């Protein structure tokens, strides 16, 4: 089985934890006897966070004979290779690709995370009720499909009844290295009281630091992408108060999640993030589908969508006929350097 994700660079917090979650799942499958009497082996490749790197990584994995690939960790990387998997008739199961441009399609792509429009709507409804009511919307053009879907869903719902006002909406390129001090001052001068920032954890942390230095007091709101512990390390106290709209929470009370989190931290020395948990679920899902095919590649697509409800570590889920899922959404904030669920009544 292959794993393909960003193991270096600005989004490596997703790729490394995703690989680790997949590794733990493979170890658990093998401890339980493997698949169809055979042990699983995980081959991991760094996709370099570029379209060219993604294709090189996947071609190497597919040429090596993997039965399926778990990846990629961002929508841009997945979209860069989807035609390759169609041409090779190979299965790609993503832990974290949330673009809706792949929703509702019969193809070689499957995922265990929902598309991100619901997070945009959830955040918009919260801000429409609680404020701030004047926001600037900013997104990383290097992951455009993911960002545009989230931001568009947010803007449509936020402005629908006239309570919310978007004073500006722009793109930036993370690869170009934004001047965050200038961005913060410009956004505050627009009259915005908050910013919806769809970007990686490191970019959001850099924006939060510049926001603190400038004393502009902008409230910061993000989709799941930046919800990793990298933001705590990179941002320090400046990231307190950031709110994430997500389908994952570290305060998940289910025994299966608590057991997984404890085992993951014991194995890797670091608490799992959403990428780790969903990569674990992706491998376990593939393992069950492969049991139905007798470990063979043939018939894997139909096996995946026929499995029915799965008791994942995050919660119960199932794939629909298009390989998509629905999951519960949450709002999570950072308080005193810790992730906490948002109290909607405050």
């Amino acid at each position: 089985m292959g794993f393909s994700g960003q193991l270096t660079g600005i989004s490596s917090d997703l790729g490394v934890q995703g690989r680790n979650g997949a590794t733990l799942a493979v170890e658990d499958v093998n401890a339980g006897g493997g698949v169809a009497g055979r042990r699983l082996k995980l081959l991991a490749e760094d996709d370099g966070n570029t379209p060219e790197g993604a294709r090189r990584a996947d071609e190497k994995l597919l040429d090596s004979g993997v039965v399926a690939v778990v990846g990629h960790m961002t929508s841009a990387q997945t979209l860069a290779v989807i035609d390759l998997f169609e041409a090779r008739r190979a299965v790609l199961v993503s832990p974290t690709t949330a673009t809706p441009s792949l929703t509702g399609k019969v193809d070689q792509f499957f995922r265990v995370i929902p598309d991100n429009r619901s997070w945009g709507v959830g955040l918009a409804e919260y801000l429409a009720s609680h404020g701030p009511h004047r926001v600037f919307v900013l997104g990383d053009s290097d992951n455009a499909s993911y960002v545009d879907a989230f931001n568009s869903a947010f803007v449509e719902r936020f402005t629908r009844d006239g309570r919310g006002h978007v004073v500006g909406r722009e793109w930036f390129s993370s690869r170009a290295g934004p001047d965050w001090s200038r961005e913060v001052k410009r956004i505050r001068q627009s009259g915005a009281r908050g910013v919806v920032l769809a970007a990686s954890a490191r970019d959001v942390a850099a924006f939060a630091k510049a926001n603190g230095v400038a004393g502009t007091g902008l409230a910061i709101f993000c989709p799941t992408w930046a919800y990793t512990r990298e933001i705590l390390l990179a941002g320090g106290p400046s990231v307190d108060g950031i709110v994430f709209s997500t389908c994952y929470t570290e305060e998940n009370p289910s025994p299966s999640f608590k057991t997984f989190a404890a085992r993951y931290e014991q194995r890797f020395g670091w608490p799992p993030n959403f990428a780790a948990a969903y990569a674990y679920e992706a491998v376990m899902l593939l393992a069950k589908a492969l049991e139905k095919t007798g470990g063979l590649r043939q018939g894997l697509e139909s096996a995946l969508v026929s499995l029915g409800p799965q008791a994942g570590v995050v919660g119960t889920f199932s794939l629909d006929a298009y390989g998509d899922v629905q999951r519960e959404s949450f709002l999570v904030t950072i308080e005193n350097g810790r992730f906490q669920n948002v109290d909607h009544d405050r």
Side-chain angles (χ1 to χ4, degrees):
M1 189 177 296
F3 174 87
S4 194
Q6 298 98 321
L7 301 180
T8 55
I10 196 168
S11 294
S12 59
D13 51 336
L14 300 181
V16 171
Q17 287 235 34
R19 179 201 60 195
N20 291 350
T23 297
L24 184 60
V26 167
E27 292 171 353
D28 286 351
V29 169
N30 289 337
V35 172
R38 300 171 65 185
R39 292 175 59 83
L40 285 180
K41 181 178 181 180
L42 187 70
L43 304 179
E45 291 292 331
D46 183 2
D47 70 16
N49 201 32
T50 66
E52 300 78 16
R55 294 188 73 88
R56 282 195 299 269
D58 292 345
E59 286 172 349
K60 183 176 180 180
L61 289 170
L62 294 174
D63 288 346
S64 73
V66 297
V67 71
V69 174
V70 174
H72 289 258
M73 309 306 287
T74 61
S75 296
Q77 293 295 86
T78 295
L79 289 170
V81 299
I82 197 68
D83 62 326
L84 172 65
F85 282 84
E86 292 297 313
R88 300 280 289 264
R89 305 306 298 168
V91 168
L92 178 66
V93 181
S94 178
T96 52
T97 292
T99 175
S101 65
L102 295 172
T103 300
K105 295 184 176 181
V106 177
D107 52 22
Q108 299 301 116
F109 174 74
F110 304 81
R111 57 179 155 194
V112 297
I113 196 171
D115 82 44
N116 62 15
R117 290 173 294 189
S118 61
W119 312 335
V121 171
L123 178 61
E125 291 176 346
Y126 176 78
L127 293 188
S129 298
H130 294 79
H133 296 116
R134 294 178 62 82
V135 303
F136 197 101
V137 176
L138 191 62
D140 184 355
S141 60
D142 296 323
N143 195 14
S145 181
Y146 174 99
V147 170
D148 188 55
F150 175 83
N151 284 350
S152 294
F154 170 83
V155 169
E156 192 280 327
R157 181 63 186 91
F158 186 58
T159 59
R160 181 188 301 170
D161 58 11
R163 285 186 292 173
H165 301 277
V166 174
V167 300
R169 182 176 179 182
E170 293 184 4
W171 296 91
F172 72 92
S173 170
S174 57
R175 294 185 186 127
D179 182 340
W180 291 118
S181 296
R182 184 180 64 184
E183 288 294 314
V184 164
K185 292 176 183 177
R186 187 171 60 83
I187 290 172
R188 190 64 182 91
Q189 288 169 357
S190 72
R193 305 292 304 194
V195 58
V196 175
L197 179 53
S200 71
R202 295 185 194 180
D203 279 325
V204 174
F207 183 96
K209 282 186 172 182
N211 187 41
V213 169
T216 49
L218 289 166
I220 303 171
F221 306 92
C222 302
T224 301
W225 185 6
Y227 175 29
T228 73
R229 291 193 170 263
E230 181 69 25
I231 200 169
L232 305 179
L233 289 175
S238 66
V239 300
D240 267 20
I242 292 177
V243 173
F244 307 89
S245 186
T246 178
C247 57
Y248 177 86
T249 173
E250 291 189 355
E251 294 188 312
N252 189 327
S254 75
S256 62
F257 177 79
K258 290 182 177 296
T259 299
F260 163 76
R263 292 180 58 243
Y264 181 96
E265 186 164 5
Q266 182 180 32
R267 173 69 172 81
F268 299 105
W270 191 253
N273 63 15
F274 70 97
Y278 288 141
Y280 182 94
E281 289 189 347
V283 170
M284 299 303 284
L285 183 76
L286 273 167
K288 289 188 177 181
L290 286 166
E291 277 289 349
K292 294 190 72 171
T293 68
L296 300 177
R297 161 70 188 82
Q298 186 177 2
L300 187 54
E301 296 91 343
S302 59
L304 281 165
V305 299
S306 68
L307 287 174
Q310 299 296 303
V313 295
V314 177
T316 301
F317 70 97
S318 61
L319 300 189
D320 65 17
Y322 303 105
D324 299 316
V325 298
Q326 297 293 324
R327 290 186 185 262
E328 183 181 2
S329 294
F330 304 90
L331 291 177
V332 175
T333 190
I334 301 174
E335 294 183 1
N336 299 317
R338 295 183 60 194
F339 294 115
Q340 303 283 339
N341 285 359
V342 170
D343 183 351
H344 287 242
D345 296 325
R346 286 197 306 190

